[in-house]
Amino acid sequence: MGARKKGIKNLYSYGIREGVIQAIMSPLVSSLIIVVLVLIIGFGGIRVTSGSMTAGELVAFFIYLFQIIMPITQIVVFITQFQKTIGATEKIVSILELDEEKLTEGREVHQAEGPLVLDSVEFGYSFDEITLKDINIVAEKGKVTAIVGPSGSGKTTLFSLIEQFYPPINGRILLGSEEISSFSLKSWRKMLGYVSQDSPIYSGTILDNITYGLSENVTQDQVEEAAKNGLCP
């Protein structure tokens, strides 16, 4: 968590620095361009009046000037975007280099038997800073258990542990008397339902969106019922 906070702070400082530079440079560059254009128009007007330059030559000069200015401006924008792209590409490459999850290893679990228990669970994104400390929860089968807390208190991290996106540093997460790590990820995650705060629409058909993440055994009747009730089949 400490490394993540440091990265966020660095990103924030870079964003502030970029905003300050743009706030200073954009008006400055625009003012300089206006001053240069006024000087060129004034000087060119004098030259045209004296007969040493024709009006057509002055217009041609302006056309050439703008043809030079526009590519230079685009190069500056390109350099900024290129640096951002490098950072994004490095992050994507690091994600692609991660080991794939072994979805089918472990025994199958078909239905919840017993409560979901978090026994002295501790977790941190780094060993320097523990996010969750000594968490003990018993969610009884057939009852509603709510996890409530302010933003940043670790609710999302807690559910990420239940979904087995991360293993706890200490403690155990059990379904009944069995540790959830003994179940195959595929069968375990089939038992979990997740309702996001947002409602994203993915590229594809309405059918693809309704059946996203589900097995191929979903029937047309289930899809139509889910569309009518606003529920996943």
Side-chain angles (χ1 to χ4, degrees):
M1 194 68 175
R4 178 175 296 186
K5 284 185 178 179
K6 183 178 180 181
I8 292 174
K9 287 182 179 179
N10 289 336
L11 182 62
Y12 175 75
S13 64
Y14 291 147
I16 293 294
R17 191 179 305 171
E18 180 183 7
V20 171
I21 292 173
Q22 288 182 351
I24 295 174
M25 292 302 296
S26 295
L28 181 62
V29 171
S30 300
S31 300
L32 288 175
I33 291 175
I34 292 173
V35 171
V36 170
L37 288 177
V38 169
L39 292 175
I40 292 174
I41 291 172
F43 180 74
I46 294 172
R47 300 273 294 181
V48 171
T49 303
S50 64
S52 58
M53 177 185 288
T54 65
E57 290 174 340
L58 181 60
V59 172
F61 178 80
F62 275 109
I63 293 174
Y64 293 142
L65 180 63
F66 281 109
Q67 286 180 340
I68 293 172
I69 291 175
M70 292 303 294
I72 292 175
T73 305
Q74 291 175 352
I75 288 173
V76 174
V77 174
F78 169 77
I79 291 174
T80 303
Q81 295 298 325
F82 182 69
Q83 293 297 324
K84 292 181 179 180
T85 303
I86 291 176
T89 303
E90 290 176 351
K91 182 62 176 177
I92 292 172
V93 171
S94 66
I95 292 174
L96 293 176
E97 288 178 348
L98 294 175
D99 295 332
E100 292 186 8
E101 292 181 320
K102 297 178 175 62
L103 298 176
T104 57
E105 287 190 0
R107 70 183 188 86
E108 296 285 319
V109 52
H110 300 288
Q111 61 181 354
E113 298 177 356
L116 179 66
V117 180
L118 280 74
D119 180 21
S120 302
V121 171
E122 292 188 354
F123 177 78
Y125 293 98
S126 68
F127 286 96
D128 299 332
E129 186 173 348
I130 302 299
T131 306
L132 302 174
K133 298 179 181 179
D134 195 24
I135 302 298
N136 293 277
I137 298 174
V138 178
E140 296 288 350
K141 181 179 179 181
K143 295 182 179 180
V144 176
T145 302
I147 308 297
V148 182
S151 178
S153 61
K155 299 187 299 296
T156 301
T157 300
L158 182 64
F159 283 100
S160 295
L161 295 178
I162 294 174
E163 292 168 302
Q164 295 198 64
F165 290 136
Y166 307 101
I169 295 176
N170 291 310
R172 301 180 302 164
I173 303 177
L174 306 100
L175 180 63
S177 59
E178 298 286 337
E179 291 196 33
I180 63 172
S181 58
S182 66
F183 303 135
S184 69
L185 290 176
K186 187 175 182 180
S187 65
W188 173 247
R189 289 176 181 167
K190 277 185 177 180
M191 298 184 61
L192 303 176
Y194 178 77
V195 179
S196 173
Q197 294 180 354
D198 304 317
S199 300
I201 301 297
Y202 301 100
S203 176
T205 64
I206 296 176
L207 177 64
D208 294 335
N209 277 269
I210 293 177
T211 59
Y212 179 79
L214 301 176
S215 64
E216 298 179 355
N217 299 325
V218 179
T219 65
Q220 185 67 26
D221 291 338
Q222 288 176 307
V223 172
E224 292 179 0
E225 186 67 20
K228 292 177 181 176
N229 299 327
L231 301 172
C232 290

